[in-house]
């Protein structure tokens, strides 16, 4: 086998492994906007563990949804979830306030556990945005299905102010928070 072919095979193999690792294990998401302050700020790059609740398999309509080696979302976890409904679309961050089996009561857009609304369905969670005025959470949308949860936010990998150049914009104090 020629050396150039060995090189191409090694390069393609490495590329496929990186893509698989990124798609199945960990992903990096960039915080855009000011809606998550003070916990996360614009420009933070978040490391998300996609395995934290099991391997999420969503075939985009071609395959049925499933989650292998499923683990429950814990109360207090900061999770990344995706929505694609009529009123709102995108990827969002929220803290899990109630898990299946909990009951919740909402008073002035604040959740109190236990309460009146039943969160007992096995696949639904009460997720609240970190910023109280962010409309992408359970206070506005109701219970969020487990199938929408991508993974648990692990840390701020690094942060960069995109309005500055690459060296000046790096925020050292926010790295690995």
């Amino acid at each position: 086998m020629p050396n150039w072919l060995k090189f191409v095979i090694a390069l393609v193999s490495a590329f496929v492994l990186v893509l698989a690792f990124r798609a199945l294990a960990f992903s990096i998401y960039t915080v855009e906007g000011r809606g998550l302050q003070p916990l996360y700020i614009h420009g933070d790059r978040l490391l998300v563990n996609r395995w934290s609740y099991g391997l999420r398999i969503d075939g985009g309509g071609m395959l049925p949804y499933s989650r292998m080696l499923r683990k429950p979302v814990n109360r207090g976890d900061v999770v990344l979830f995706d929505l694609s409904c009529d009123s709102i679309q995108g990827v969002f961050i929220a803290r899990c306030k109630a898990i299946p089996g909990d009951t919740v009561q909402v008073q002035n857009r604040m959740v109190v556990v236990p309460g009146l609304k039943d969160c007992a369905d096995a696949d639904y969670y009460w997720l609240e945005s970190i910023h109280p005025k962010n409309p992408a959470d359970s206070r506005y949308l109701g219970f969020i299905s487990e199938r929408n949860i991508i993974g648990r936010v692990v840390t701020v990998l690094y942060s960069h102010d995109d309005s500055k150049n690459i060296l000046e914009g790096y925020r050292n104090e926010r790295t690995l928070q």
Side-chain angles (χ1 to χ4, degrees):
M1 180 179 304
N3 284 341
W4 67 269
L5 186 57
K6 289 179 185 177
F7 177 75
V8 169
I9 291 172
L11 190 63
V12 168
S13 299
F15 184 71
V16 168
L17 285 174
V18 167
L19 285 179
F21 182 77
R22 187 186 180 286
L24 300 175
F26 290 95
S27 293
I28 299 172
Y29 289 87
T30 302
V31 174
E32 297 175 5
R34 312 273 183 239
L36 299 173
Q37 290 179 338
L39 188 57
Y40 301 116
I41 63 173
H42 181 75
D44 282 354
R45 273 47 173 202
L46 304 177
L47 183 65
V48 176
N49 182 351
R50 298 175 74 93
W51 273 94
S52 52
Y53 307 118
L55 176 60
R56 182 177 184 240
I57 301 171
D58 188 5
M62 296 186 330
L63 297 173
Y65 167 81
S66 66
R67 196 175 290 262
M68 296 172 48
L69 304 172
R70 187 175 181 171
K71 298 174 196 155
V73 177
N74 297 313
R75 194 179 299 107
D77 283 357
V78 177
V79 299
L80 195 78
F81 65 100
D82 61 0
L83 289 177
S84 57
C85 57
D86 294 337
S87 60
I88 194 162
Q89 293 185 0
V91 177
F92 303 97
I93 301 171
R95 186 178 305 277
C96 181
K97 292 283 189 155
I99 60 175
D102 287 348
T103 54
V104 297
Q105 177 181 4
V106 180
Q107 299 172 343
N108 298 327
R109 297 206 185 271
M110 298 294 289
V111 67
V112 180
V113 178
L116 301 174
K117 284 187 174 178
D118 192 4
C119 190
D121 289 339
D123 291 335
Y124 291 90
Y125 295 86
W126 188 269
L127 304 177
E128 284 192 12
S129 162
I130 294 157
H131 193 277
K133 293 184 180 176
N134 190 340
D137 70 4
S138 293
R139 291 172 289 193
Y140 297 91
L141 302 171
F143 295 110
I144 307 293
S145 172
E146 180 269 338
R147 77 180 314 155
N148 295 95
I149 297 174
I150 296 170
R152 184 176 55 83
V153 176
V154 177
T155 188
V156 176
L157 195 57
Y158 69 96
S159 184
H160 188 271
D161 183 351
D162 295 331
S163 67
K164 298 181 180 177
N165 73 35
I166 194 159
L167 296 176
E168 291 176 358
Y170 181 72
R171 298 182 189 118
N172 192 33
E173 69 279 1
R174 295 199 55 80
T175 301
L176 298 177
Q177 282 191 354

